[in-house]
Amino acid sequence: MSVQNSNSDRALSRKQRLQEKQRRQLAVVDTVDKAEAKVRKAEVEVAMAVAEAVQVFGGMQEASDGLDMPIQTVQRFLGLAQDEAAGAANVAEAVGTVVEAVGGA
């Protein structure tokens, strides 16, 4: 009987170790996901600022020179700003559709 209890204790211990390992792995994945979301938000903010700089400076090349940023980087941020604006427009359109479907507010 004592042999079975001993095996049972080791199995439980292995199970607990596995659960703790999985818990730590999930915590790390959660931390990375949150950090990626923060990076994405920061990139969008920079993209919007670059888009504004292009307007203020009067063009991409001028903004590139004024910001001391390669033209390819300015173009990448402009693309990101356009994608973000298109996404916002799609959300606004979807909200409008839902409001109309519910009976107009």
Side-chain angles (χ1 to χ4, degrees), residues 28-44:
V28 169
V29 169
D30 186 47
T31 300
V32 170
D33 286 347
K34 288 177 182 177
E36 286 177 338
K38 288 179 182 179
V39 167
R40 171 75 177 146
K41 182 180 177 188
E43 281 185 330
V44 168

Side-chain angles (χ1 to χ4, degrees), residues 40-103:
R40 171 75 177 146
K41 182 180 177 188
E43 281 185 330
V44 168
E45 289 176 7
V46 170
M48 300 310 263
V50 168
E52 184 177 347
V54 169
Q55 291 177 344
V56 169
F57 283 101
M60 275 195 291
Q61 185 60 52
E62 293 81 0
S64 173
D65 295 340
L67 297 173
D68 194 26
M69 184 180 286
I71 191 78
Q72 294 85 1
T73 304
V74 171
Q75 290 171 335
R76 183 176 73 84
F77 280 124
L78 285 177
L80 183 60
Q82 289 173 341
D83 292 346
E84 190 66 22
N90 288 341
V91 168
E93 182 179 330
V95 169
T97 301
V98 169
V99 169
E100 287 176 10
V102 174

